[in-house]
């Protein structure tokens, strides 16, 4: 049985709002529905949520579920990075579609920086990620996919995630199975773990699902199991 990525990685929405403006954005719809902030195109920082990082029980956290790292103010990022350094029991993930707007260096061991790629013409984001963010860990999310990304240079990448369109447009736009298989094969050729999101089950079939996590994430999940005993 496939596993849900949300059970492995928890959202911590320290920043709400995004400067990118994707037409298919689920976060913008949720913010509007629940009146979280007044203007989704103007990101807001909620520093009171930083205390959630102080939990002793290890967690894998996604910090950009309702934002893009490129829209964070540098002072927000500095405060978050300082808190991450104080809490090595957790692993933290960031995503961006605009790595060209970022430029910084960090030696954080438990921070993972990634880009989202939705089509072949966006593959430049991967090289720009590594050039503009000098960090320990990198990942790439291929979701949703509008065309075949083809041959991808995954050199230096530590994890990939493959998914498909969700929500109202999911009946019109779907990841082609061969695209997903190719990405997983390319990752495996470099010994990179790959995770096919549960939304791919109806497309590729349960038996063809590959759901691998980086070892650091698995260690966090193992520590969680110990806490439950």
């Amino acid at each position: 049985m496939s596993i849900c990525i949300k059970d492995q990685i928890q959202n911590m929405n320290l920043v709400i709002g995004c400067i990118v403006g994707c037409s298919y954005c689920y976060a913008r719809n949720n913010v509007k529905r629940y009146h979280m902030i007044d203007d989704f195109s103007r990101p807001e920082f909620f520093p009171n949520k930083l205390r959630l990082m102080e939990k002793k029980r290890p967690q894998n956290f996604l910090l950009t579920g309702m934002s893009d790292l490129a829209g964070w103010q540098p002072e927000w990022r500095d405060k978050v990075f300082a808190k991450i350094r104080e809490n090595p029991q957790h692993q933290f993930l960031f995503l961006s579609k605009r790595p060209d707007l970022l430029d910084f260096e960090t030696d954080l061991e438990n921070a993972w920086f990634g880009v989202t790629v939705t089509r072949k013409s966006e593959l430049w984001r991967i090289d720009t990620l590594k050039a503009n963010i000098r960090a320990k860990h990198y990942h790439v999310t291929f979701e949703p996919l509008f065309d075949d990304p083809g041959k991808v240079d995954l050199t230096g990448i530590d994890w990939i995630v493959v998914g498909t369109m969700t929500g109202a447009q999911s009946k019109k736009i779907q990841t082609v199975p061969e695209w997903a298989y190719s990405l997983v094969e390319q990752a495996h050729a470099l010994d990179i773990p790959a995770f096919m999101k549960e939304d791919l089950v109806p497309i590729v079939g349960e038996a063809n699902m590959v759901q691998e996590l980086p070892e650091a994430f698995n260690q966090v999940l193992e520590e969680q199991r110990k806490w439950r005993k």
Side-chain angles (χ1 to χ4, degrees), residues 119-184:
R119 46 176 55 90
K120 189 171 185 177
S121 62
E122 295 171 355
L123 289 176
W124 62 268
R125 292 175 177 172
I126 300 175
D127 288 336
T128 304
L129 166 74
K130 293 181 291 183
N132 288 12
I133 302 179
R134 280 78 65 194
K136 299 286 188 179
H137 307 292
Y138 300 109
H139 60 104
V140 182
T141 291
F142 296 91
E143 178 196 32
L145 280 174
F146 296 99
D147 61 28
D148 183 2
K151 177 64 176 177
V152 181
D153 183 2
L154 294 173
T155 305
I157 299 302
D158 301 290
W159 188 42
I160 72 164
V161 175
V162 186
T164 189
M165 180 70 78
T166 58
Q169 300 184 56
S170 61
K171 293 182 179 180
K172 298 180 180 179
I173 302 171
Q174 289 189 339
T175 294
V176 175
E178 287 72 22
W179 302 348
Y181 299 149
S182 175
L183 288 167
V184 170

Side-chain angles (χ1 to χ4, degrees), residues 177-214:
E178 287 72 22
W179 302 348
Y181 299 149
S182 175
L183 288 167
V184 170
E185 289 171 2
Q186 291 181 65
H188 283 176
L190 296 174
D191 294 323
I192 300 169
F195 192 99
M196 299 170 73
K197 295 182 74 172
E198 62 279 1
D199 300 308
L200 284 172
V201 172
I203 299 173
V204 306
E206 186 77 53
N208 296 314
M209 292 289 286
V210 176
Q211 295 189 304
E212 302 162 338
L213 296 171

Side-chain angles (χ1 to χ4, degrees), residues 17-77:
C18 183
I19 63 172
V20 180
C22 299
S23 61
Y24 53 85
C25 181
Y26 72 91
R28 180 176 57 242
N29 294 334
N30 285 343
V31 167
K32 183 178 180 180
R33 179 181 179 185
Y34 296 107
H35 308 290
M36 296 180 186
I37 60 174
D38 293 331
D39 185 351
F40 187 73
S41 66
R42 300 180 63 182
E44 296 183 23
F45 180 42
F46 296 87
N48 59 309
K49 293 184 179 181
L50 286 172
R51 68 180 186 278
L52 298 174
M53 292 187 185
E54 298 170 3
K55 295 180 178 179
K56 297 304 180 183
R57 179 183 175 184
Q59 296 278 348
N60 296 314
F61 287 114
L62 172 64
L63 301 185
T64 51
M66 285 195 171
S67 66
D68 185 295
L69 184 58
W72 288 32
Q73 297 296 324
E75 56 267 28
W76 303 350
R77 192 173 68 222

